[in-house]
Amino acid sequence: MNYALVTGGSRGIGRAICLELASMGYHIIINYASNRQAAQEAKALVEAKGVRADLLPFDVSSPTDIEKALEGWKEAHPDDFIAVLVNNAGIRRDNMLVLMQDDEWNEVMGTTLNGFFHITRRVLKDMVRRRAGRIVNIASVSGLTGLPGQANYSASRAALIGATKALAKEVAARKITVNAVAPGYVDTDMTHDLDQDKLKGQIPVGRFGTPEEVAYAVGFLVSERASYITGDVISVNGGLYT
């Protein structure tokens, strides 16, 4: 059976991606860090689509946790294949750079960039062996244009975009595509502390996006219709940055 692994898949954009891929017929591996209740809710919603859902808790910033979790899953599913990987997990630790603490920098980099590296390297081995696979990295408008107070977040997402483009060239001959989706302001738990009324005035369409709108872009990149698209970045930002 073909599975899709979505990191940070229990809430927000990650949950919407899980549901979109489930509607496409993929069985889903829902990674989460600590909120088991949200993960159980996501699992029930996915299974209502008629596919299997496995919960796989691990810290995406921990190479040891990643290896242990993915090795355990593979031992339990020797004949199954993670055909789709969506690196979605991310955190914000906003601060002006002159005031930024080491942990604010390192936690963001560890989750977004190091998580991408360790998870993708592990999953990619089977994709290369089978000469098939789809990898989608969730970046951000911050990684394209930079936002004040987010030097750490912008740096991690810009690096993720660079890694996407490089990896796409490395594995294209193996029929594996690697792309990124760069959301703008999306209405999720991560953005609830922002002044939405003020920020909406900066967005040409006049509103925040929805998690589902990001998930639709991921679904397209995973589909066969996108088999000639790799190394690209699709912006889903309401015209905020083009």
Side-chain angles (χ1 to χ4, degrees), residues 2-226:
N2 285 346
Y3 277 79
L5 166 59
V6 182
T7 66
S10 64
R11 295 181 297 168
I13 291 174
R15 179 183 291 193
I17 292 170
C18 288
L19 293 174
E20 176 66 14
L21 299 184
S23 72
M24 296 171 65
Y26 286 100
H27 304 288
I28 308 296
I29 304 170
I30 304 169
N31 160 255
Y32 67 100
S34 58
N35 192 335
R36 184 166 181 81
Q37 180 179 346
Q40 291 281 13
E41 292 170 358
K43 175 179 168 67
L45 291 171
V46 166
E47 290 177 338
K49 300 282 187 180
V51 300
R52 293 184 58 178
D54 295 345
L55 297 183
L56 199 63
F58 62 84
D59 179 355
V60 300
S61 68
S62 170
T64 302
D65 287 358
I66 291 167
E67 187 62 29
K68 181 178 179 181
L70 292 179
E71 184 63 27
W73 184 89
K74 190 62 180 176
E75 288 178 358
H77 299 79
D79 299 322
D80 297 328
F81 174 43
I82 298 178
V84 174
L85 169 62
V86 182
N87 288 299
N88 167 73
I91 58 172
R92 284 175 45 220
R93 295 289 185 268
D94 294 356
N95 206 345
M96 302 303 290
L97 184 65
V98 69
L99 301 174
M100 189 170 290
Q101 303 299 303
D102 288 357
D103 61 338
E104 292 173 327
W105 178 271
N106 292 331
E107 287 175 9
V108 171
M109 288 295 178
T111 299
T112 299
L113 198 55
N114 295 346
F116 154 80
F117 170 65
H118 291 290
I119 295 167
T120 304
R121 184 177 61 177
R122 178 65 177 78
V123 172
L124 192 59
K125 293 176 182 178
D126 282 346
M127 290 184 176
V128 169
R129 188 176 301 114
R130 294 183 183 234
R131 299 181 67 86
R134 295 282 191 270
I135 299 172
V136 181
N137 300 316
I138 306 303
S140 169
V141 66
S142 288
L144 293 170
T145 184
L147 292 176
Q150 290 193 337
N152 50 0
Y153 190 78
S154 296
S156 69
R157 300 297 173 167
L160 186 61
I161 289 170
T164 296
K165 292 178 178 293
L167 181 58
K169 293 179 179 179
E170 292 179 9
V171 299
R174 297 282 182 173
K175 299 182 180 180
I176 302 166
T177 65
V178 188
N179 291 287
V181 173
Y185 293 114
V186 177
D187 190 10
T188 66
D189 291 346
M190 187 180 283
T191 60
H192 280 177
D193 63 325
L194 302 179
D195 187 341
Q196 291 199 23
D197 291 335
K198 178 181 178 180
L199 292 170
K200 285 176 184 177
Q202 303 174 16
I203 306 169
V205 302
R207 64 174 177 85
F208 275 30
T210 68
E212 289 74 20
E213 288 170 319
V214 178
Y216 298 148
V218 174
F220 168 66
L221 290 173
V222 165
S223 73
E224 284 302 312
R225 294 181 178 184

